[in-house]
């Protein structure tokens, strides 16, 4: 993955509010996710689907000021209605528990990038098989609200094992690091900042948001700091001048794995 391709901010918008969706496309989010599932009341599902189909049938051209559009689908009807529309850049698949479910969606939506959401204990147990289920799977992530309810977890730390599990599963399947789930209190930016820092320590990269004010906080939290960039540059430069494992003057040990990590840091720092 090169730096330009790294998405750090993923903004959820209700699918039954097309004016809000169009506004969100210029919000600065790396990806806009039109939500046809939890954010839409049952009696608004059909309208949300038709409004989303209209948007995706004649989409604005993605670019520096217009985000690509993903859809969190509600069921097979959404998949069939939207899969072949030109403005669709990806599908987020809620409540996936088995690889077979991914194969089913992939058959209905050939070539569409898929992002299964793991929202139950059963899904966590099958994390690697889901991550590697199909070549159209481009990422996995937790749906933490549903997972918290399924596990009966009250303290946020109770989800850390599951977070680490999806990080490992994604890496083992050759996928990008998982994106963090949403932080529900849009006014608590300090809490969001702390939560992002904790997720980054666990190996997560980027975060879903539910309000544009959360986007700059997420962006800053996951971008490398100037100190991290400087350290990565030193490691990469040392690797250019001397092959094999070595120690830097400050005592840091450098081998191929450390160099690869430094190169990922620099790629992320170079994102737009």
């Amino acid at each position: 993955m090169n730096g330009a391709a790294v998405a750090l901010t993923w903004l959820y918008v209700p699918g039954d509010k097309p004016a809000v969706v169009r506004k969100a496309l210029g919000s600065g989010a790396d990806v806009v996710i039109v939500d046809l599932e939890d954010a839409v009341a049952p009696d608004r599902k059909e309208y949300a689907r038709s409004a989303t189909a209209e948007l995706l049938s004649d989409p604005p051209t993605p670019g520096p000021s217009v985000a690509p559009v993903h859809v969190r689908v509600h069921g097979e009807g959404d998949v069939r209605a939207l899969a072949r529309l030109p403005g669709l850049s990806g599908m987020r698949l809620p409540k996936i528990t088995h690889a077979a479910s991914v194969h089913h969606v992939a058959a209905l939506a050939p070539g569409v990038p898929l992002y299964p959401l793991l929202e139950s204990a059963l899904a966590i147990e099958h994390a690697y098989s889901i991550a590697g289920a199909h070549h159209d799977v481009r990422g996995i992530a937790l749906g933490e609200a549903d997972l918290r309810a399924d596990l009966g977890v009250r303290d946020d730390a109770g989800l850390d094992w599951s977070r680490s599990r999806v990080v490992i599963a994604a890496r083992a399947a050759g996928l990008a690091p998982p994106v963090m789930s949403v932080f529900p209190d849009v006014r608590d930016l300090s809490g969001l900042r702390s939560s992002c820092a904790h997720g980054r320590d666990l190996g997560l990269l980027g975060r879903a948001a539910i309000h544009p004010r959360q986007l700059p906080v997420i962006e800053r939290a996951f971008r490398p700091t100037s100190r991290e960039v400087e350290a990565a540059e030193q490691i990469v430069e040392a690797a250019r001048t001397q092959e094999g494992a070595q120690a830097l003057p400050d005592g840091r040990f450098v081998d191929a794995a450390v160099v690869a990590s430094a190169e990922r840091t620099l790629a992320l720092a170079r994102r737009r």
Side-chain angles (χ1 to χ4, degrees):
M1 179 188 302
N2 61 44
V6 178
L8 296 182
T9 54
W10 307 64
L11 180 60
Y12 275 103
V13 189
D16 62 340
K17 298 180 179 178
V20 178
V21 173
R22 289 190 177 276
K23 184 177 180 180
L25 296 178
S27 66
D30 293 321
V31 179
V32 166
I33 305 171
V34 179
D35 192 356
L36 302 182
E37 196 208 16
D38 290 343
V40 179
D43 63 347
R44 299 275 289 174
K45 297 289 188 189
E46 288 296 330
Y47 171 71
R49 180 194 294 171
S50 63
T52 302
E54 182 178 349
L55 170 73
L56 297 178
S57 296
D58 185 23
T61 303
S65 60
V66 179
V69 177
H70 289 202
V71 176
R72 178 161 73 168
V73 297
H74 176 61
E76 185 173 313
D78 290 344
V79 176
R80 291 183 181 276
L82 305 175
R84 301 186 185 279
L85 298 181
L88 181 66
S89 296
M91 280 188 177
R92 294 178 78 81
L93 312 178
K95 298 177 176 59
I96 294 295
T97 57
H98 296 83
S101 300
V102 178
H103 280 282
H104 180 66
V105 175
L108 297 175
V112 175
L114 303 177
Y115 296 81
L117 298 175
L118 284 58
E119 302 179 278
S120 66
L122 184 59
I124 298 302
E125 285 296 295
H126 294 159
Y128 175 67
S129 65
I130 292 170
H134 194 276
H135 58 79
D136 285 337
V137 174
R138 305 296 171 79
I140 58 172
L142 293 180
E144 290 191 357
D146 283 13
L147 180 61
R148 189 188 299 272
D150 188 47
L151 298 177
V153 168
R154 299 177 64 182
D155 187 271
D156 189 67
L159 294 178
D160 279 357
W161 185 88
S162 298
R163 292 165 176 154
S164 295
R165 179 74 181 94
V166 296
V167 168
I168 292 169
R171 179 61 179 165
L175 304 177
V179 174
M180 289 190 78
S181 191
V182 299
F183 188 82
D185 188 341
V186 300
R187 298 166 297 180
D188 185 7
L189 299 184
S190 177
L192 172 62
R193 188 178 302 110
S194 297
S195 178
C196 288
H198 180 61
R200 188 182 180 200
D201 287 343
L202 293 174
L204 298 156
L205 183 63
R207 187 161 204 160
I210 53 176
H211 194 283
R213 71 165 60 103
Q214 296 178 315
L215 301 177
V217 176
I218 295 169
E219 173 82 20
R220 287 193 296 271
F222 286 98
R223 283 186 72 108
T225 65
S226 58
R227 181 174 296 181
E228 290 169 336
V229 171
E230 181 181 358
E233 289 173 340
Q234 292 173 351
I235 290 169
V236 171
E237 181 60 29
R240 290 196 189 102
T241 58
Q242 182 176 335
E243 294 184 358
Q246 56 185 294
L248 298 180
D250 62 6
R252 284 177 295 161
F253 181 76
V254 176
D255 63 6
V258 174
V259 173
S261 178
E263 289 173 338
R264 288 195 295 270
T265 295
L266 295 179
L268 183 57
R270 289 192 294 266
R271 73 188 297 275
R272 63 172 177 79

